[in-house]
Amino acid sequence: KPVRVISTASDPQGRQTVIDLLPEHERKLRLVPVGRLDFYSEGLLLLSNSGELIHRLTHPSWHVTKTYQVLISGPVESRHMDPMRKGMTLQEGDRLAPVKVTIGQKTKAGTWLEMELHQGINRQIRRMCRDMDLTILRLIRTRQGPISLGSLVPGRIKRLNEQELIALRSLVGLG
């Protein structure tokens, strides 16, 4: 999913949706997004027409890991990451499970973090970073369960191969 595209099948406000990115023959399959990425986030977004698979991949009880690369403006210190690693409570009162977070490459633009989430509260990464006074410049989902974004560029689609489908279905007890 590119930034500025809505993670839904249709939008009453007429904004571009992830379904609009599909070739016509794929649109006929009645695919829907498996979960969401917010308007300013990009990266891996699975689409499916299997209601049971979608339910299990998005339901918190299955604990499907999602991995993100997050570019933060400026330096990041352990005081920023420790609350995330231990589990924190957001300003709104939502209690979060611990997040695996590691510091990656430091660039002129800022510091890359890799974050692994199991919980998936709405806009969780953006809200955690807000509460830690960290400014997000870019947020990319790179993995969901066994499925990796790889080198797929924003706006492009890829059908999962048989092995990927088996791994994904097996992860949520459908294998």
Side-chain angles (χ1 to χ4, degrees), residues 66-103:
K66 296 177 190 117
T67 305
Y68 299 82
Q69 296 292 321
V70 185
L71 180 59
I72 301 295
S73 176
V76 178
E77 301 169 10
S78 61
R79 70 179 172 88
H80 297 117
M81 295 189 306
D82 287 346
M84 295 181 201
R85 289 177 175 152
K86 292 176 183 168
M88 60 188 282
T89 301
L90 296 173
Q91 285 178 11
E92 299 83 1
D94 293 314
R95 179 80 183 131
L96 302 180
V99 172
K100 182 178 177 187
V101 56
T102 55
I103 295 178

PDB file of all heavy atoms in Angstrom, residues 66-103:
ATOM      1  N   LYS A  66       3.228  -8.614  13.405  1.00  0.00           N
ATOM      2  CA  LYS A  66       3.388  -7.668  12.303  1.00  0.00           C
ATOM      3  C   LYS A  66       4.676  -6.901  12.560  1.00  0.00           C
ATOM      4  O   LYS A  66       4.914  -6.435  13.675  1.00  0.00           O
ATOM      5  CB  LYS A  66       2.198  -6.718  12.222  1.00  0.00           C
ATOM      6  CG  LYS A  66       0.899  -7.425  11.893  1.00  0.00           C
ATOM      7  CD  LYS A  66      -0.255  -6.440  11.887  1.00  0.00           C
ATOM      8  CE  LYS A  66      -1.543  -7.200  11.797  1.00  0.00           C
ATOM      9  NZ  LYS A  66      -2.392  -7.029  12.962  1.00  0.00           N
ATOM     10  N   THR A  67       5.504  -6.767  11.526  1.00  0.00           N
ATOM     11  CA  THR A  67       6.798  -6.091  11.663  1.00  0.00           C
ATOM     12  C   THR A  67       6.791  -4.815  10.841  1.00  0.00           C
ATOM     13  O   THR A  67       6.292  -4.798   9.704  1.00  0.00           O
ATOM     14  CB  THR A  67       7.937  -7.014  11.198  1.00  0.00           C
ATOM     15  OG1 THR A  67       7.865  -8.244  11.933  1.00  0.00           O
ATOM     16  CG2 THR A  67       9.297  -6.373  11.425  1.00  0.00           C
ATOM     17  N   TYR A  68       7.348  -3.767  11.419  1.00  0.00           N
ATOM     18  CA  TYR A  68       7.356  -2.446  10.789  1.00  0.00           C
ATOM     19  C   TYR A  68       8.760  -1.858  10.819  1.00  0.00           C
ATOM     20  O   TYR A  68       9.497  -2.060  11.783  1.00  0.00           O
ATOM     21  CB  TYR A  68       6.425  -1.485  11.537  1.00  0.00           C
ATOM     22  CG  TYR A  68       4.990  -1.915  11.559  1.00  0.00           C
ATOM     23  CD1 TYR A  68       4.542  -2.847  12.492  1.00  0.00           C
ATOM     24  CD2 TYR A  68       4.071  -1.393  10.657  1.00  0.00           C
ATOM     25  CE1 TYR A  68       3.220  -3.257  12.520  1.00  0.00           C
ATOM     26  CE2 TYR A  68       2.748  -1.800  10.681  1.00  0.00           C
ATOM     27  CZ  TYR A  68       2.327  -2.727  11.604  1.00  0.00           C
ATOM     28  OH  TYR A  68       1.018  -3.144  11.627  1.00  0.00           O
ATOM     29  N   GLN A  69       9.092  -1.097   9.794  1.00  0.00           N
ATOM     30  CA  GLN A  69      10.266  -0.241   9.783  1.00  0.00           C
ATOM     31  C   GLN A  69       9.735   1.173   9.980  1.00  0.00           C
ATOM     32  O   GLN A  69       8.828   1.610   9.256  1.00  0.00           O
ATOM     33  CB  GLN A  69      11.025  -0.345   8.449  1.00  0.00           C
ATOM     34  CG  GLN A  69      11.612  -1.712   8.177  1.00  0.00           C
ATOM     35  CD  GLN A  69      12.739  -2.050   9.139  1.00  0.00           C
ATOM     36  OE1 GLN A  69      13.546  -1.201   9.498  1.00  0.00           O
ATOM     37  NE2 GLN A  69      12.785  -3.307   9.552  1.00  0.00           N
ATOM     38  N   VAL A  70      10.290   1.877  10.970  1.00  0.00           N
ATOM     39  CA  VAL A  70       9.782   3.198  11.328  1.00  0.00           C
ATOM     40  C   VAL A  70      10.948   4.178  11.336  1.00  0.00           C
ATOM     41  O   VAL A  70      11.908   3.990  12.078  1.00  0.00           O
ATOM     42  CB  VAL A  70       9.109   3.166  12.719  1.00  0.00           C
ATOM     43  CG1 VAL A  70       8.475   4.513  13.036  1.00  0.00           C
ATOM     44  CG2 VAL A  70       8.079   2.042  12.789  1.00  0.00           C
ATOM     45  N   LEU A  71      10.852   5.213  10.506  1.00  0.00           N
ATOM     46  CA  LEU A  71      11.880   6.249  10.479  1.00  0.00           C
ATOM     47  C   LEU A  71      11.456   7.362  11.430  1.00  0.00           C
ATOM     48  O   LEU A  71      10.395   7.974  11.271  1.00  0.00           O
ATOM     49  CB  LEU A  71      12.066   6.801   9.060  1.00  0.00           C
ATOM     50  CG  LEU A  71      13.117   7.897   8.898  1.00  0.00           C
ATOM     51  CD1 LEU A  71      14.509   7.421   9.332  1.00  0.00           C
ATOM     52  CD2 LEU A  71      13.139   8.409   7.462  1.00  0.00           C
ATOM     53  N   ILE A  72      12.318   7.601  12.431  1.00  0.00           N
ATOM     54  CA  ILE A  72      12.068   8.596  13.469  1.00  0.00           C
ATOM     55  C   ILE A  72      12.982   9.795  13.225  1.00  0.00           C
ATOM     56  O   ILE A  72      14.165   9.628  12.926  1.00  0.00           O
ATOM     57  CB  ILE A  72      12.372   8.005  14.870  1.00  0.00           C
ATOM     58  CG1 ILE A  72      11.506   6.777  15.154  1.00  0.00           C
ATOM     59  CG2 ILE A  72      12.223   9.064  15.948  1.00  0.00           C
ATOM     60  CD1 ILE A  72      10.033   7.032  15.257  1.00  0.00           C
ATOM     61  N   SER A  73      12.449  10.986  13.359  1.00  0.00           N
ATOM     62  CA  SER A  73      13.251  12.196  13.220  1.00  0.00           C
ATOM     63  C   SER A  73      14.228  12.290  14.387  1.00  0.00           C
ATOM     64  O   SER A  73      13.812  12.234  15.551  1.00  0.00           O
ATOM     65  CB  SER A  73      12.334  13.423  13.204  1.00  0.00           C
ATOM     66  OG  SER A  73      13.088  14.605  13.152  1.00  0.00           O
ATOM     67  N   GLY A  74      15.520  12.407  14.062  1.00  0.00           N
ATOM     68  CA  GLY A  74      16.530  12.585  15.106  1.00  0.00           C
ATOM     69  C   GLY A  74      16.938  11.295  15.791  1.00  0.00           C
ATOM     70  O   GLY A  74      16.582  10.201  15.359  1.00  0.00           O
ATOM     71  N   PRO A  75      17.654  11.413  16.905  1.00  0.00           N
ATOM     72  CA  PRO A  75      18.147  10.239  17.620  1.00  0.00           C
ATOM     73  C   PRO A  75      17.054   9.578  18.469  1.00  0.00           C
ATOM     74  O   PRO A  75      16.087  10.230  18.864  1.00  0.00           O
ATOM     75  CB  PRO A  75      19.257  10.798  18.516  1.00  0.00           C
ATOM     76  CG  PRO A  75      18.869  12.215  18.743  1.00  0.00           C
ATOM     77  CD  PRO A  75      18.152  12.664  17.501  1.00  0.00           C
ATOM     78  N   VAL A  76      17.244   8.297  18.726  1.00  0.00           N
ATOM     79  CA  VAL A  76      16.353   7.539  19.608  1.00  0.00           C
ATOM     80  C   VAL A  76      17.210   6.961  20.719  1.00  0.00           C
ATOM     81  O   VAL A  76      18.270   6.400  20.466  1.00  0.00           O
ATOM     82  CB  VAL A  76      15.631   6.413  18.829  1.00  0.00           C
ATOM     83  CG1 VAL A  76      14.741   5.608  19.769  1.00  0.00           C
ATOM     84  CG2 VAL A  76      14.805   6.992  17.686  1.00  0.00           C
ATOM     85  N   GLU A  77      16.741   7.089  21.940  1.00  0.00           N
ATOM     86  CA  GLU A  77      17.495   6.624  23.103  1.00  0.00           C
ATOM     87  C   GLU A  77      16.735   5.512  23.815  1.00  0.00           C
ATOM     88  O   GLU A  77      15.544   5.309  23.581  1.00  0.00           O
ATOM     89  CB  GLU A  77      17.727   7.808  24.060  1.00  0.00           C
ATOM     90  CG  GLU A  77      18.488   8.952  23.407  1.00  0.00           C
ATOM     91  CD  GLU A  77      18.476  10.220  24.248  1.00  0.00           C
ATOM     92  OE1 GLU A  77      18.050  10.162  25.424  1.00  0.00           O
ATOM     93  OE2 GLU A  77      18.881  11.267  23.717  1.00  0.00           O
ATOM     94  N   SER A  78      17.414   4.832  24.731  1.00  0.00           N
ATOM     95  CA  SER A  78      16.777   3.732  25.454  1.00  0.00           C
ATOM     96  C   SER A  78      15.581   4.218  26.269  1.00  0.00           C
ATOM     97  O   SER A  78      14.612   3.487  26.448  1.00  0.00           O
ATOM     98  CB  SER A  78      17.783   3.009  26.348  1.00  0.00           C
ATOM     99  OG  SER A  78      18.308   3.894  27.305  1.00  0.00           O
ATOM    100  N   ARG A  79      15.599   5.468  26.733  1.00  0.00           N
ATOM    101  CA  ARG A  79      14.456   6.000  27.491  1.00  0.00           C
ATOM    102  C   ARG A  79      13.188   6.033  26.642  1.00  0.00           C
ATOM    103  O   ARG A  79      12.084   6.016  27.173  1.00  0.00           O
ATOM    104  CB  ARG A  79      14.775   7.383  28.068  1.00  0.00           C
ATOM    105  CG  ARG A  79      14.875   8.473  27.022  1.00  0.00           C
ATOM    106  CD  ARG A  79      15.181   9.843  27.662  1.00  0.00           C
ATOM    107  NE  ARG A  79      15.453  10.837  26.660  1.00  0.00           N
ATOM    108  CZ  ARG A  79      14.526  11.584  26.076  1.00  0.00           C
ATOM    109  NH1 ARG A  79      13.264  11.453  26.404  1.00  0.00           N
ATOM    110  NH2 ARG A  79      14.866  12.484  25.169  1.00  0.00           N
ATOM    111  N   HIS A  80      13.357   6.099  25.308  1.00  0.00           N
ATOM    112  CA  HIS A  80      12.206   6.057  24.408  1.00  0.00           C
ATOM    113  C   HIS A  80      11.701   4.623  24.231  1.00  0.00           C
ATOM    114  O   HIS A  80      10.507   4.384  24.149  1.00  0.00           O
ATOM    115  CB  HIS A  80      12.566   6.606  23.019  1.00  0.00           C
ATOM    116  CG  HIS A  80      12.958   8.042  23.016  1.00  0.00           C
ATOM    117  ND1 HIS A  80      14.215   8.450  22.651  1.00  0.00           N
ATOM    118  CD2 HIS A  80      12.260   9.159  23.326  1.00  0.00           C
ATOM    119  CE1 HIS A  80      14.278   9.771  22.730  1.00  0.00           C
ATOM    120  NE2 HIS A  80      13.114  10.222  23.146  1.00  0.00           N
ATOM    121  N   MET A  81      12.637   3.693  24.162  1.00  0.00           N
ATOM    122  CA  MET A  81      12.278   2.319  23.815  1.00  0.00           C
ATOM    123  C   MET A  81      11.903   1.465  25.022  1.00  0.00           C
ATOM    124  O   MET A  81      11.107   0.543  24.879  1.00  0.00           O
ATOM    125  CB  MET A  81      13.420   1.667  23.035  1.00  0.00           C
ATOM    126  CG  MET A  81      13.640   2.345  21.682  1.00  0.00           C
ATOM    127  SD  MET A  81      14.788   1.466  20.630  1.00  0.00           S
ATOM    128  CE  MET A  81      16.192   1.309  21.686  1.00  0.00           C
ATOM    129  N   ASP A  82      12.452   1.749  26.187  1.00  0.00           N
ATOM    130  CA  ASP A  82      12.182   0.917  27.363  1.00  0.00           C
ATOM    131  C   ASP A  82      10.689   0.770  27.669  1.00  0.00           C
ATOM    132  O   ASP A  82      10.216  -0.350  27.891  1.00  0.00           O
ATOM    133  CB  ASP A  82      12.944   1.441  28.586  1.00  0.00           C
ATOM    134  CG  ASP A  82      14.438   1.159  28.505  1.00  0.00           C
ATOM    135  OD1 ASP A  82      14.845   0.334  27.650  1.00  0.00           O
ATOM    136  OD2 ASP A  82      15.198   1.767  29.286  1.00  0.00           O
ATOM    137  N   PRO A  83       9.906   1.863  27.685  1.00  0.00           N
ATOM    138  CA  PRO A  83       8.472   1.687  27.944  1.00  0.00           C
ATOM    139  C   PRO A  83       7.785   0.820  26.884  1.00  0.00           C
ATOM    140  O   PRO A  83       6.894   0.033  27.208  1.00  0.00           O
ATOM    141  CB  PRO A  83       7.921   3.120  27.913  1.00  0.00           C
ATOM    142  CG  PRO A  83       9.100   3.985  28.219  1.00  0.00           C
ATOM    143  CD  PRO A  83      10.271   3.278  27.598  1.00  0.00           C
ATOM    144  N   MET A  84       8.184   0.957  25.636  1.00  0.00           N
ATOM    145  CA  MET A  84       7.609   0.142  24.572  1.00  0.00           C
ATOM    146  C   MET A  84       7.938  -1.330  24.795  1.00  0.00           C
ATOM    147  O   MET A  84       7.085  -2.203  24.627  1.00  0.00           O
ATOM    148  CB  MET A  84       8.135   0.588  23.203  1.00  0.00           C
ATOM    149  CG  MET A  84       7.729   1.971  22.794  1.00  0.00           C
ATOM    150  SD  MET A  84       8.412   2.343  21.157  1.00  0.00           S
ATOM    151  CE  MET A  84       8.380   4.123  21.171  1.00  0.00           C
ATOM    152  N   ARG A  85       9.160  -1.596  25.169  1.00  0.00           N
ATOM    153  CA  ARG A  85       9.612  -2.979  25.387  1.00  0.00           C
ATOM    154  C   ARG A  85       8.941  -3.630  26.601  1.00  0.00           C
ATOM    155  O   ARG A  85       8.764  -4.841  26.635  1.00  0.00           O
ATOM    156  CB  ARG A  85      11.129  -3.010  25.562  1.00  0.00           C
ATOM    157  CG  ARG A  85      11.885  -2.736  24.287  1.00  0.00           C
ATOM    158  CD  ARG A  85      13.373  -2.699  24.542  1.00  0.00           C
ATOM    159  NE  ARG A  85      14.107  -2.543  23.295  1.00  0.00           N
ATOM    160  CZ  ARG A  85      15.292  -1.961  23.209  1.00  0.00           C
ATOM    161  NH1 ARG A  85      15.884  -1.494  24.303  1.00  0.00           N
ATOM    162  NH2 ARG A  85      15.889  -1.859  22.043  1.00  0.00           N
ATOM    163  N   LYS A  86       8.612  -2.820  27.594  1.00  0.00           N
ATOM    164  CA  LYS A  86       8.013  -3.351  28.821  1.00  0.00           C
ATOM    165  C   LYS A  86       6.490  -3.426  28.741  1.00  0.00           C
ATOM    166  O   LYS A  86       5.866  -4.099  29.551  1.00  0.00           O
ATOM    167  CB  LYS A  86       8.417  -2.473  30.006  1.00  0.00           C
ATOM    168  CG  LYS A  86       9.890  -2.562  30.331  1.00  0.00           C
ATOM    169  CD  LYS A  86      10.256  -1.604  31.438  1.00  0.00           C
ATOM    170  CE  LYS A  86      11.751  -1.668  31.704  1.00  0.00           C
ATOM    171  NZ  LYS A  86      12.219  -0.572  32.550  1.00  0.00           N
ATOM    172  N   GLY A  87       5.914  -2.698  27.799  1.00  0.00           N
ATOM    173  CA  GLY A  87       4.464  -2.552  27.739  1.00  0.00           C
ATOM    174  C   GLY A  87       4.115  -1.222  28.368  1.00  0.00           C
ATOM    175  O   GLY A  87       4.602  -0.908  29.453  1.00  0.00           O
ATOM    176  N   MET A  88       3.321  -0.430  27.689  1.00  0.00           N
ATOM    177  CA  MET A  88       3.024   0.911  28.178  1.00  0.00           C
ATOM    178  C   MET A  88       1.525   1.183  28.107  1.00  0.00           C
ATOM    179  O   MET A  88       0.792   0.435  27.462  1.00  0.00           O
ATOM    180  CB  MET A  88       3.818   1.962  27.390  1.00  0.00           C
ATOM    181  CG  MET A  88       3.535   1.985  25.892  1.00  0.00           C
ATOM    182  SD  MET A  88       4.645   3.070  24.948  1.00  0.00           S
ATOM    183  CE  MET A  88       3.946   4.683  25.285  1.00  0.00           C
ATOM    184  N   THR A  89       1.127   2.232  28.765  1.00  0.00           N
ATOM    185  CA  THR A  89      -0.254   2.682  28.703  1.00  0.00           C
ATOM    186  C   THR A  89      -0.272   3.986  27.921  1.00  0.00           C
ATOM    187  O   THR A  89       0.469   4.926  28.243  1.00  0.00           O
ATOM    188  CB  THR A  89      -0.838   2.896  30.115  1.00  0.00           C
ATOM    189  OG1 THR A  89      -0.749   1.661  30.830  1.00  0.00           O
ATOM    190  CG2 THR A  89      -2.287   3.342  30.050  1.00  0.00           C
ATOM    191  N   LEU A  90      -1.106   4.040  26.890  1.00  0.00           N
ATOM    192  CA  LEU A  90      -1.213   5.236  26.060  1.00  0.00           C
ATOM    193  C   LEU A  90      -1.971   6.337  26.793  1.00  0.00           C
ATOM    194  O   LEU A  90      -2.695   6.073  27.753  1.00  0.00           O
ATOM    195  CB  LEU A  90      -1.938   4.902  24.754  1.00  0.00           C
ATOM    196  CG  LEU A  90      -1.214   3.912  23.840  1.00  0.00           C
ATOM    197  CD1 LEU A  90      -2.109   3.526  22.660  1.00  0.00           C
ATOM    198  CD2 LEU A  90       0.104   4.492  23.339  1.00  0.00           C
ATOM    199  N   GLN A  91      -1.837   7.570  26.320  1.00  0.00           N
ATOM    200  CA  GLN A  91      -2.529   8.720  26.922  1.00  0.00           C
ATOM    201  C   GLN A  91      -4.022   8.458  27.083  1.00  0.00           C
ATOM    202  O   GLN A  91      -4.626   8.878  28.062  1.00  0.00           O
ATOM    203  CB  GLN A  91      -2.358   9.964  26.047  1.00  0.00           C
ATOM    204  CG  GLN A  91      -1.027  10.612  26.104  1.00  0.00           C
ATOM    205  CD  GLN A  91      -0.936  11.810  25.157  1.00  0.00           C
ATOM    206  OE1 GLN A  91      -1.923  12.270  24.603  1.00  0.00           O
ATOM    207  NE2 GLN A  91       0.280  12.317  24.984  1.00  0.00           N
ATOM    208  N   GLU A  92      -4.590   7.746  26.127  1.00  0.00           N
ATOM    209  CA  GLU A  92      -6.032   7.485  26.150  1.00  0.00           C
ATOM    210  C   GLU A  92      -6.419   6.366  27.124  1.00  0.00           C
ATOM    211  O   GLU A  92      -7.598   6.089  27.308  1.00  0.00           O
ATOM    212  CB  GLU A  92      -6.531   7.098  24.749  1.00  0.00           C
ATOM    213  CG  GLU A  92      -6.340   8.157  23.697  1.00  0.00           C
ATOM    214  CD  GLU A  92      -4.947   8.186  23.064  1.00  0.00           C
ATOM    215  OE1 GLU A  92      -4.082   7.346  23.438  1.00  0.00           O
ATOM    216  OE2 GLU A  92      -4.719   9.036  22.203  1.00  0.00           O
ATOM    217  N   GLY A  93      -5.399   5.716  27.727  1.00  0.00           N
ATOM    218  CA  GLY A  93      -5.662   4.679  28.707  1.00  0.00           C
ATOM    219  C   GLY A  93      -5.517   3.256  28.184  1.00  0.00           C
ATOM    220  O   GLY A  93      -5.630   2.309  28.958  1.00  0.00           O
ATOM    221  N   ASP A  94      -5.298   3.081  26.884  1.00  0.00           N
ATOM    222  CA  ASP A  94      -5.112   1.734  26.331  1.00  0.00           C
ATOM    223  C   ASP A  94      -3.812   1.140  26.848  1.00  0.00           C
ATOM    224  O   ASP A  94      -2.743   1.742  26.730  1.00  0.00           O
ATOM    225  CB  ASP A  94      -5.063   1.767  24.794  1.00  0.00           C
ATOM    226  CG  ASP A  94      -6.380   2.170  24.172  1.00  0.00           C
ATOM    227  OD1 ASP A  94      -7.420   1.632  24.593  1.00  0.00           O
ATOM    228  OD2 ASP A  94      -6.361   3.017  23.256  1.00  0.00           O
ATOM    229  N   ARG A  95      -3.897  -0.067  27.414  1.00  0.00           N
ATOM    230  CA  ARG A  95      -2.721  -0.786  27.922  1.00  0.00           C
ATOM    231  C   ARG A  95      -2.165  -1.635  26.800  1.00  0.00           C
ATOM    232  O   ARG A  95      -2.901  -2.409  26.172  1.00  0.00           O
ATOM    233  CB  ARG A  95      -3.133  -1.665  29.108  1.00  0.00           C
ATOM    234  CG  ARG A  95      -1.996  -2.453  29.692  1.00  0.00           C
ATOM    235  CD  ARG A  95      -1.148  -1.578  30.611  1.00  0.00           C
ATOM    236  NE  ARG A  95      -0.025  -2.392  31.077  1.00  0.00           N
ATOM    237  CZ  ARG A  95       1.235  -1.998  31.034  1.00  0.00           C
ATOM    238  NH1 ARG A  95       1.558  -0.817  30.590  1.00  0.00           N
ATOM    239  NH2 ARG A  95       2.181  -2.795  31.467  1.00  0.00           N
ATOM    240  N   LEU A  96      -0.877  -1.483  26.506  1.00  0.00           N
ATOM    241  CA  LEU A  96      -0.237  -2.181  25.395  1.00  0.00           C
ATOM    242  C   LEU A  96       0.662  -3.306  25.873  1.00  0.00           C
ATOM    243  O   LEU A  96       1.354  -3.170  26.881  1.00  0.00           O
ATOM    244  CB  LEU A  96       0.601  -1.200  24.564  1.00  0.00           C
ATOM    245  CG  LEU A  96      -0.136  -0.004  23.969  1.00  0.00           C
ATOM    246  CD1 LEU A  96       0.840   0.862  23.193  1.00  0.00           C
ATOM    247  CD2 LEU A  96      -1.291  -0.448  23.085  1.00  0.00           C
ATOM    248  N   ALA A  97       0.649  -4.381  25.122  1.00  0.00           N
ATOM    249  CA  ALA A  97       1.580  -5.481  25.358  1.00  0.00           C
ATOM    250  C   ALA A  97       2.985  -5.012  24.978  1.00  0.00           C
ATOM    251  O   ALA A  97       3.151  -4.075  24.189  1.00  0.00           O
ATOM    252  CB  ALA A  97       1.172  -6.682  24.508  1.00  0.00           C
ATOM    253  N   PRO A  98       4.014  -5.651  25.512  1.00  0.00           N
ATOM    254  CA  PRO A  98       5.379  -5.302  25.119  1.00  0.00           C
ATOM    255  C   PRO A  98       5.587  -5.439  23.605  1.00  0.00           C
ATOM    256  O   PRO A  98       5.007  -6.305  22.963  1.00  0.00           O
ATOM    257  CB  PRO A  98       6.227  -6.321  25.875  1.00  0.00           C
ATOM    258  CG  PRO A  98       5.397  -6.703  27.046  1.00  0.00           C
ATOM    259  CD  PRO A  98       3.984  -6.673  26.544  1.00  0.00           C
ATOM    260  N   VAL A  99       6.410  -4.549  23.085  1.00  0.00           N
ATOM    261  CA  VAL A  99       6.750  -4.519  21.667  1.00  0.00           C
ATOM    262  C   VAL A  99       8.241  -4.779  21.538  1.00  0.00           C
ATOM    263  O   VAL A  99       9.034  -4.202  22.293  1.00  0.00           O
ATOM    264  CB  VAL A  99       6.393  -3.137  21.051  1.00  0.00           C
ATOM    265  CG1 VAL A  99       6.914  -2.996  19.642  1.00  0.00           C
ATOM    266  CG2 VAL A  99       4.894  -2.904  21.114  1.00  0.00           C
ATOM    267  N   LYS A 100       8.612  -5.637  20.617  1.00  0.00           N
ATOM    268  CA  LYS A 100      10.035  -5.837  20.341  1.00  0.00           C
ATOM    269  C   LYS A 100      10.467  -4.687  19.439  1.00  0.00           C
ATOM    270  O   LYS A 100       9.933  -4.510  18.345  1.00  0.00           O
ATOM    271  CB  LYS A 100      10.262  -7.182  19.659  1.00  0.00           C
ATOM    272  CG  LYS A 100      11.725  -7.469  19.401  1.00  0.00           C
ATOM    273  CD  LYS A 100      11.925  -8.829  18.767  1.00  0.00           C
ATOM    274  CE  LYS A 100      13.399  -9.040  18.449  1.00  0.00           C
ATOM    275  NZ  LYS A 100      13.604 -10.274  17.689  1.00  0.00           N
ATOM    276  N   VAL A 101      11.409  -3.894  19.924  1.00  0.00           N
ATOM    277  CA  VAL A 101      11.874  -2.735  19.153  1.00  0.00           C
ATOM    278  C   VAL A 101      13.390  -2.700  19.175  1.00  0.00           C
ATOM    279  O   VAL A 101      14.014  -2.867  20.223  1.00  0.00           O
ATOM    280  CB  VAL A 101      11.250  -1.414  19.676  1.00  0.00           C
ATOM    281  CG1 VAL A 101      11.524  -1.195  21.134  1.00  0.00           C
ATOM    282  CG2 VAL A 101      11.702  -0.224  18.859  1.00  0.00           C
ATOM    283  N   THR A 102      13.984  -2.526  17.989  1.00  0.00           N
ATOM    284  CA  THR A 102      15.438  -2.443  17.869  1.00  0.00           C
ATOM    285  C   THR A 102      15.807  -1.234  17.021  1.00  0.00           C
ATOM    286  O   THR A 102      15.063  -0.848  16.113  1.00  0.00           O
ATOM    287  CB  THR A 102      16.035  -3.711  17.228  1.00  0.00           C
ATOM    288  OG1 THR A 102      15.399  -3.948  15.967  1.00  0.00           O
ATOM    289  CG2 THR A 102      15.841  -4.933  18.108  1.00  0.00           C
ATOM    290  N   ILE A 103      16.948  -0.656  17.337  1.00  0.00           N
ATOM    291  CA  ILE A 103      17.452   0.481  16.565  1.00  0.00           C
ATOM    292  C   ILE A 103      18.198  -0.050  15.355  1.00  0.00           C
ATOM    293  O   ILE A 103      19.029  -0.942  15.461  1.00  0.00           O
ATOM    294  CB  ILE A 103      18.380   1.367  17.414  1.00  0.00           C
ATOM    295  CG1 ILE A 103      17.587   2.008  18.551  1.00  0.00           C
ATOM    296  CG2 ILE A 103      19.041   2.443  16.550  1.00  0.00           C
ATOM    297  CD1 ILE A 103      18.400   2.872  19.478  1.00  0.00           C
TER     298      ILE A 103
END
